[in-house]
Amino acid sequence: MSMPEAPEQAWKAEVVRRLEQGDGLEFTLAQFAQTVGTTVEDQALRIFLGQAVASGAAKKIEAYRCPISSCKRVLSSAGAPYTICPHCSTDYLKEGVEPLVELFYRLVGENSRDIRWMIIVHGMNSRAKWQEEFSWQIANRLRYSAPVLIYKYGWATIDVLVRWLHRRLAKRLGERMRIAITQALASQRPSKPDIIAHSFGTYLLSLVLDDPNFEDLNFGRVITAGSIIPPDFDWDRLIASGRVEAVLNHVGAKDTAVPAAQFAIPGTGPGGRIGYLAKNAVNVCEPTFRHSDFFEPENLCAQIADGGLWHNFLTHPLEHFAPQRGFAPSRWKRAPLAVRAATRILGYALFALAAPFSWLRRQVDP
Ligand SMILES: [Zn+2]
């Protein structure tokens, strides 16, 4: 850099970076000074941090440090006063020493979170290729292991045209989720899985969330891609009641399947094009993506990599989560009932005609 900007700009950027990543929220003056390339003598830095405290963006915490050179551990202020080091067991009175007082700053923000475990609900007739790729990427990209359950509901074909079959599929999904959550608890994992759902899988997920029989199932962060959930689905209520921690709606601007869904599949809507109207939903538009591009190996890889949209959404504090290409739709109206009814009657007729073939196909190609 030739002409450095005012140091305060760089310090501010460092604070924002820490808040966004939920990492390094607690630090001493010396630690922060070192990160931003200055020293504790820098008066401007002291003033800068002082202003952060005055504005409520940071808190000053006094902590203690063991004075014994082989220990030097931080002793939390909650346990003060200390007469014995809880780490090295040095008796300070006997040794004639006292704990060192040290000043910490704590940025007011949430810590980053780990991806705990995950359930993937794919679209119709997804072949195994991207699922294998996904498991592989997750296992390789993450610094820790997060089990992934890829839920399969078999071949859906003409069946998607009728509602009672949706309920049956959703019931099966809810029951499978409940088993997975029970197993997670038994192996000391958190009870709320993160979810990635695609296409018809997003609709099944919304049915599970709306079904009073599954009210005991709570979820972490939910990603919908190529969503056919109606834009007016009440995510705000689910978030407020703790059923869902947050939702990211990943929209493909070139998705042509999503706008067509409401005319063929009763109960669905173009959430994956219009976006979700819910105040607390995060909508992000990918200008070049078509319906299944989210799961092309290179795209999938980019989403899950450090700094990728999905990875950031799953791990960063959401208070400061403002992805590029985020948008908030203002309104949406369902297509006129007459149009939907007409296309659906056509759908039912197709179902009646083709169901036997659909059955036959499943016997042949399970
Ligand atoms: Zn000690």
Side-chain angles (χ1 to χ4, degrees):
M1 251 195 281
S2 51
M3 211 17 223
E5 51 195 0
E8 283 84 355
Q9 290 306 315
W11 301 342
K12 210 174 254 171
E14 177 61 20
V15 165
V16 168
R17 192 188 65 78
R18 289 177 184 221
L19 282 170
E20 280 176 357
Q21 299 189 352
D23 206 17
L25 297 181
E26 216 170 283
F27 47 82
T28 63
L29 177 61
Q31 284 166 340
F32 194 84
Q34 196 186 11
T35 316
V36 296
T38 178
T39 64
V40 289
E41 281 80 40
D42 191 331
Q43 274 308 315
L45 179 61
R46 284 170 181 263
I47 292 168
F48 171 79
L49 290 173
Q51 282 165 346
V53 172
S55 72
K59 285 196 164 74
K60 250 184 195 178
I61 341 170
E62 243 176 28
Y64 304 88
R65 198 183 281 280
C66 177
I68 306 303
S69 58
S70 59
C71 176
K72 289 271 183 192
R73 252 132 358 134
V74 173
L75 315 172
S76 95
S77 51
Y82 288 93
T83 54
I84 289 175
C85 175
H87 303 290
C88 66
S89 304
T90 301
D91 188 329
Y92 296 145
L93 297 175
K94 222 158 95 186
E95 299 295 323
V97 294
E98 275 182 3
L100 308 165
V101 179
E102 227 169 303
L103 202 56
F104 281 82
Y105 292 89
R106 191 182 200 309
L107 298 176
V108 178
E110 300 165 68
N111 284 316
S112 66
R113 78 199 267 281
D114 285 349
I115 298 171
R116 304 90 173 257
W117 59 286
M118 202 178 263
I119 299 176
I120 315 287
V121 193
H122 62 74
M124 275 182 276
N125 308 339
S126 286
R127 279 302 192 182
K129 200 169 156 240
W130 76 256
Q131 301 172 17
E132 284 165 15
E133 183 69 23
F134 187 87
S135 306
W136 177 248
Q137 293 286 353
I138 279 275
N140 276 286
R141 292 276 164 180
L142 299 180
R143 290 176 295 267
Y144 40 83
S145 85
V148 177
L149 167 70
I150 296 181
Y151 179 72
K152 298 183 178 172
Y153 48 84
W155 281 89
T157 51
I158 198 87
D159 313 0
V160 301
L161 298 171
V162 287
R163 216 184 260 261
W164 60 268
L165 272 166
H166 303 169
R167 296 220 182 86
R168 202 169 74 183
L169 289 171
K171 189 160 173 273
R172 232 183 272 156
L173 171 62
E175 281 161 1
R176 184 66 189 91
M177 284 171 154
R178 186 178 282 138
I179 292 169
I181 288 170
T182 309
Q183 286 169 342
L185 283 170
S187 50
Q188 317 294 324
R189 289 191 179 274
S191 63
K192 300 180 181 183
D194 294 328
I195 306 278
I196 296 177
H198 178 233
S199 188
F200 193 64
T202 64
Y203 178 55
L204 290 183
L205 172 68
S206 73
L207 291 179
V208 171
L209 288 168
D210 261 351
D211 186 341
N213 292 320
F214 295 117
E215 257 171 16
D216 58 312
L217 307 185
N218 297 317
F219 303 98
R221 298 190 182 176
V222 173
I223 296 173
T224 61
S227 168
I228 57 168
I229 298 174
D232 58 358
F233 187 72
D234 197 353
W235 291 102
D236 284 337
R237 181 181 56 84
L238 292 165
I239 292 168
S241 66
R243 297 284 315 281
V244 165
E245 192 185 323
V247 59
L248 169 71
N249 184 32
H250 208 174
V251 167
K254 298 244 163 83
D255 192 326
T256 50
V258 159
Q262 65 174 323
F263 300 105
I265 311 175
T268 65
R273 272 294 287 279
I274 304 292
Y276 299 139
L277 303 174
K279 235 175 41 260
N280 293 301
V282 181
N283 298 290
V284 177
C285 182
E286 219 59 62
T288 61
F289 276 20
R290 290 160 303 160
H291 189 56
S292 292
D293 285 352
F294 304 95
F295 297 95
E296 287 297 318
E298 69 269 24
N299 293 335
L300 191 59
C301 184
Q303 304 308 329
I304 300 171
D306 264 3
L309 177 67
W310 293 6
H311 191 266
N312 285 351
F313 173 73
L314 293 170
T315 60
H316 286 186
L318 293 177
E319 202 186 336
H320 302 274
F321 187 69
Q324 287 184 325
R325 297 194 288 275
F327 71 99
S330 52
R331 58 170 182 269
W332 170 72
K333 263 170 80 181
R334 221 171 266 277
L337 179 65
V339 181
R340 282 178 290 133
T343 52
R344 260 177 233 150
I345 287 164
L346 192 68
Y348 291 127
L350 268 174
F351 176 78
L353 286 170
F357 296 101
S358 174
W359 175 84
L360 187 67
R361 181 173 175 190
R362 259 173 295 175
Q363 308 310 305
V364 186
D365 189 6

